[in-house]
Amino acid sequence: MKLSSKFIEDEAFVCVQCHYCRVCPAFQSLKWESVSPRGRMYLLKGIAKGQIEPDSIAVEDFYKCTTCGACEVVCQTSIPLIEVWERARAEFVEAGKAPLPAHRKMREVAEKNGNPYGEKRGERSRWAEGFQFKDKAETIYFAGCTASYRMYELARNTVEFLNKAGIDYTYAGEDEYCCGSPFLRTGQRDIAKKFFLKNYEEWKRRGVRRILTTCSGCFRTIAKDYPEISEEFGLEWDFEVVHTSQLIHQLVEEGKVEFEEWSERVTYHDPCHLGRHMGVYEEPRVVLEKMGAEIVEMEHSRENALCCGAGGGVKSQFKELAMDMGKRRIEEAKETKAKYLVSCCPFCKLHLKQASEGEMEVIDLIELVNSRAKVLNNPGTKAGEQTDRRS
Ligand code: SF4
Ligand code: SF4
């Protein structure tokens, strides 16, 4: 196998094999050098030198990584490791050594249905039963696949909150496609680009200028990957991308939202795609404090937060490993004696809830906010008004 990317080759030689990156949650679970960031860099260097031809086991181990970015934070030679992992995976795909079976399957079903869960395209907006949406607006709510098919309550709480706050927005329903995150993280950029085009055209048709997401994975993908893909297509990128935690924070700071009296001990899990990938650490915490929460930090938080274990294609291909990482995070959360483990991402919630096996109440920020928010001065129109308040 020959690496076609000079970038990977160059970065592989920058690694000094210091092993500071042993903080890697996958390495902490498995303790195999081949799964550590240092081991991966060694493999890439060997491939670059023409000394190693990776077999299927080496490629599998390379994929035992959630692309959480914890290694990048501590790397002693400042290697952009997330980019290295993603580009190397694309090389494995190009060389015919990947995708791994679960990721290939995910692609097959997504090509047919526009989502990696294999759910019917026509059921994408089932969560929105009882709501009505405008066809065009400057802001669009991008629900994402996990909230649309697995976590209805997140999407419903989001639109209820938007309606309360008088935000003028639209929602694409069955014309919304997967953002492409699972494919970008597993080296399958071509299908992510197809989904980009579908979403981009729909946003343009609806006159969208601002994209709002509740999913941290969608947020990272649309804010960081889409501008690059847009450039590859020679398309103009003139969208603002906002995560719900940022929108709520802004409304709170502007004095437009207050909360009913409440006081509870909570701990906050930084989703990797919101924190390390996008640098959003403070906004969710400020909102929780304004709500009256007492935040007790876990042993690892902010840029050092432990990954929930689900991302980067790990949950679909390596279930046990994903669960082991998730359980470690739950143990940290339990030590805080908090009533709620709060996060800002449906995929984190889904996975941490499964990992907690009922021992911890896992909840998304938007659910807490929507149940306690009082909008003081409804600033906008009544777009997206709900016709049926079932929830
Ligand atoms: S991105 Fe996360 S899981 Fe992947 S090698 Fe780095 S620390 Fe490990
Ligand atoms: S911390 Fe960076 S330089 Fe050190 S072994 Fe890990 S990847 Fe290499």
Side-chain angles (χ1 to χ4, degrees):
M1 173 181 172
K2 265 202 156 55
L3 293 172
S4 60
S5 163
K6 177 108 176 36
F7 164 80
I8 298 176
E9 211 175 305
D10 290 348
E11 295 297 342
F13 284 95
V14 173
C15 174
V16 292
Q17 299 284 303
C18 65
H19 211 11
Y20 269 78
C21 48
R22 61 184 173 275
V23 295
C24 167
F27 173 70
Q28 289 302 325
S29 284
L30 299 169
K31 307 282 188 206
W32 300 335
E33 179 65 13
S34 54
V35 171
S36 76
R38 178 174 71 174
R40 290 196 183 92
M41 291 309 269
Y42 186 80
L43 175 75
L44 293 176
K45 207 189 286 187
I47 297 172
K49 284 180 174 171
Q51 291 171 344
I52 298 177
E53 180 58 33
D55 61 9
S56 59
I57 295 171
V59 175
E60 263 207 19
D61 282 353
F62 201 92
Y63 272 85
K64 287 173 183 159
C65 156
T66 58
T67 65
C68 72
C71 50
E72 193 172 302
V73 171
V74 297
C75 179
Q76 296 299 293
T77 54
S78 305
I79 303 172
L81 288 162
I82 298 170
E83 195 178 344
V84 171
W85 307 146
E86 288 185 7
R87 286 172 72 162
R89 287 173 174 197
E91 297 258 355
F92 289 136
V93 170
E94 213 177 296
K97 293 179 182 289
L100 301 183
H103 305 151
R104 190 185 302 276
K105 179 86 191 141
M106 199 163 69
R107 179 197 179 96
E108 280 165 19
V109 298
E111 268 171 347
K112 223 167 112 198
N113 302 297
N115 71 83
Y117 292 114
E119 300 290 352
K120 290 190 185 115
R121 142 133 249 96
E123 291 184 2
R124 191 168 185 103
S125 56
R126 213 164 147 192
W127 65 266
E129 213 179 290
F131 292 98
Q132 285 181 343
F133 303 97
K134 283 177 79 171
D135 183 48
K136 294 188 178 184
E138 287 206 354
T139 298
I140 190 163
Y141 172 49
F142 187 87
C145 300
T146 305
S148 299
Y149 292 112
R150 296 286 183 272
M151 289 267 145
Y152 284 15
E153 68 272 20
L154 254 81
R156 291 186 70 86
N157 273 284
T158 304
V159 297
E160 275 184 19
F161 175 75
L162 294 178
N163 293 345
K164 264 191 221 169
I167 305 285
D168 185 31
Y169 70 101
T170 175
Y171 162 64
E174 286 155 28
D175 293 318
E176 177 188 289
Y177 281 75
C178 172
C179 68
S181 175
F183 306 102
L184 289 166
R185 312 297 154 237
T186 54
Q188 307 180 80
R189 195 172 175 84
D190 56 337
I191 181 165
K193 286 173 79 169
K194 280 188 203 161
F195 291 149
F196 160 85
L197 276 183
K198 297 266 189 200
N199 287 322
Y200 183 93
E201 281 161 13
E202 189 60 24
W203 297 338
K204 284 287 173 191
R205 186 191 74 71
R206 289 174 185 263
V208 169
R209 302 298 306 272
R210 179 169 75 156
I211 300 147
L212 176 72
T213 76
T214 10
C215 174
S216 297
C218 297
F219 177 56
R220 184 246 134 94
T221 300
I222 299 171
K224 231 174 180 169
D225 297 296
Y226 272 26
E228 283 174 18
I229 297 175
S230 191
E231 206 179 320
E232 288 168 30
F233 280 118
L235 293 168
E236 181 191 23
W237 180 261
D238 55 357
F239 300 102
E240 183 193 356
V241 189
V242 180
H243 186 265
T244 34
S245 61
Q246 295 175 308
L247 175 74
I248 301 162
H249 176 258
Q250 186 196 334
L251 292 171
V252 168
E253 291 296 305
E254 288 170 358
K256 290 175 180 161
V257 170
E258 276 191 357
F259 299 101
E260 285 166 17
E261 212 168 298
W262 184 66
S263 125
E264 209 60 79
R265 193 178 171 96
V266 307
T267 191
Y268 175 71
H269 166 76
D270 293 276
C272 304
H273 285 128
L274 190 64
R276 276 187 290 267
H277 284 238
M278 295 301 295
V280 179
Y281 296 110
E282 298 313 318
E283 290 91 330
R285 288 178 167 84
V286 171
V287 171
L288 283 168
E289 271 164 12
K290 296 264 182 188
M291 288 178 74
E294 180 203 350
I295 305 176
V296 188
E297 295 289 352
M298 284 180 265
E299 187 184 339
H300 297 90
S301 67
R302 293 189 169 82
E303 63 269 29
N304 297 314
L306 289 186
C307 174
C308 75
V314 170
K315 188 173 173 63
S316 54
Q317 179 68 36
F318 307 107
K319 291 187 174 47
E320 263 181 48
L321 171 61
M323 209 35 80
D324 192 68
M325 290 190 263
K327 284 191 182 301
R328 205 156 348 110
R329 191 55 166 160
I330 291 293
E331 283 312 310
E332 280 203 343
K334 275 161 60 183
E335 278 165 25
T336 65
K337 307 260 185 291
K339 176 168 166 54
Y340 294 110
L341 168 55
V342 185
S343 192
C344 267
C345 175
F347 205 43
C348 292
K349 181 184 170 185
L350 180 73
H351 189 63
L352 289 171
K353 210 173 162 190
Q354 289 168 351
S356 83
E357 294 180 299
E359 287 187 26
M360 186 95 212
E361 193 161 347
V362 187
I363 196 161
D364 194 277
L365 181 71
I366 189 65
E367 296 174 86
L368 283 177
V369 164
N370 184 45
S371 62
R372 286 167 185 84
K374 288 189 293 183
V375 177
L376 298 181
N377 183 16
N378 189 327
T381 69
K382 296 207 180 296
E385 193 166 85
Q386 191 178 349
T387 54
D388 171 0
R389 288 211 166 248
R390 277 175 292 168
S391 57

